[in-house]
Amino acid sequence: MTEVPSRRSPGTPCWVSLMAHDLDAAQEFYGALFGWEFHEGPQHLGPYVRAELGGRQIAGIGDGPKDRHLPVSWTTLLACDDADVTAELIRECGGTVGVGPLDADHEGRMAVAVDPSGAVFGIWQAQRHPGAGVIGEPGTLAWNELITRESSVVEKFYTDIFGYETENEGPADFDYLTLRLKGRPVAGIHGVGPSLPRDRGAHWMTYFAVADTDAAVRRVVELGGRVLQPARDSGYGRLATVADPEGAVFTVIDAAR
């Protein structure tokens, strides 16, 4: 478990948010899976709740527009000091800003953008709400990773905006960059080549920590979700990629192993 500071360095993943088609059903699924409790959050984009665990905020779930039939997915939000300046820099570096910047009540200022590979991400300028209160504990955020075709396509985009230091991980034929801020790993970029899912394209993957990966996978299925990549061991823990009943994809990992 890692307690997180109230002010994140720009570029640090600070929050994850889901826009669901059925807000009540999403709360039921994630509440049963992770033990989350829910409280009303900012309503600037419509009905929205914040998930809490042990009194600490973990993630957000919103009620997406019913008339647009958008795919349901988890969005990674990266901290920034000034959402308007960062949004303009995103445009200058070849990205697109699709929503905002706009105020989330008095909680912060945010925007939703798309990088040059087509992956959606958000930026968050904290005011009253700094982001997730804890990471690495079962039921909380564990890691954020951009899944794309080639890391080289987006490396400069993210480093120019957020000042990341990058480090190649693994063997020469393994396309993985760890993104660091002041030497501290904060996120990753994984180039998967032709294995990139056609139905999702480039996307930011949200990892949630669990106490037991195999038990979590069984619970996902019991609750109406499905398994996309079965539980497997890695150098960082046992992990599996799953989807909730509406199709939002995420990874569960037992980092304690």
Side-chain angles (χ1 to χ4, degrees):
M1 179 185 71
T2 302
E3 296 286 347
V4 293
S6 58
R7 194 75 180 179
R8 269 72 161 199
S9 299
T12 305
C14 61
W15 190 246
V16 289
S17 193
L18 174 70
M19 295 303 288
H21 293 317
D22 187 329
L23 182 57
D24 291 337
Q27 290 178 79
E28 184 176 346
F29 174 84
Y30 289 100
L33 180 62
F34 293 132
W36 291 349
E37 297 179 347
F38 299 93
H39 302 278
E40 187 175 288
Q43 309 291 300
H44 59 292
L45 293 177
Y48 188 84
V49 295
R50 285 188 179 148
E52 293 187 2
L53 193 61
R56 292 168 297 190
Q57 295 187 352
I58 305 301
I61 303 179
D63 200 7
K66 299 292 189 292
D67 57 342
R68 296 180 62 187
H69 305 290
L70 298 174
V72 178
S73 62
W74 282 98
T75 298
T76 295
L77 278 75
L78 307 174
C80 67
D81 287 337
D82 187 316
D84 294 88
V85 170
T86 304
E88 186 57 35
L89 190 54
I90 287 169
R91 297 185 185 97
E92 291 174 0
C93 292
T96 302
V97 178
V99 177
L102 52 83
D103 290 325
D105 296 343
H106 298 290
E107 302 292 286
R109 190 162 172 79
M110 57 84 67
V112 178
V114 182
D115 73 20
S117 74
V120 175
F121 67 101
I123 55 173
W124 180 255
Q125 177 188 338
Q127 294 172 8
R128 291 180 182 174
H129 175 59
V134 62
I135 60 173
E137 179 180 310
T140 73
L141 185 65
W143 186 245
N144 300 84
E145 182 176 281
L146 173 59
I147 311 296
T148 189
R149 185 171 292 274
E150 295 179 14
S151 64
S152 60
V153 172
V154 290
E155 178 181 4
K156 181 173 170 49
F157 172 81
Y158 285 101
T159 55
D160 283 353
I161 294 169
F162 297 109
Y164 296 123
E165 308 139 18
T166 60
E167 180 181 357
N168 291 291
E169 299 281 354
D173 60 348
F174 185 62
D175 184 5
Y176 195 97
L177 295 176
T178 297
L179 304 179
R180 298 177 180 270
L181 291 170
K182 299 179 180 178
R184 180 174 58 91
V186 296
I189 302 177
H190 188 189
V192 298
S195 298
L196 186 69
R198 291 186 178 181
D199 59 336
R200 281 180 283 143
H203 60 281
W204 277 88
M205 176 69 75
T206 297
Y207 286 68
F208 290 112
V210 293
D212 184 319
T213 297
D214 295 275
V217 169
R218 290 193 295 270
R219 189 63 173 142
V220 165
V221 175
E222 290 171 359
L223 294 168
R226 57 194 174 96
V227 180
L228 302 183
Q229 295 183 27
R232 59 206 183 275
D233 292 319
S234 74
Y236 300 96
R238 188 162 174 78
L239 70 162
T241 302
V242 298
D244 71 16
E246 289 193 333
V249 177
F250 59 99
T251 295
V252 290
I253 182 168
D254 173 6
R257 293 191 178 188

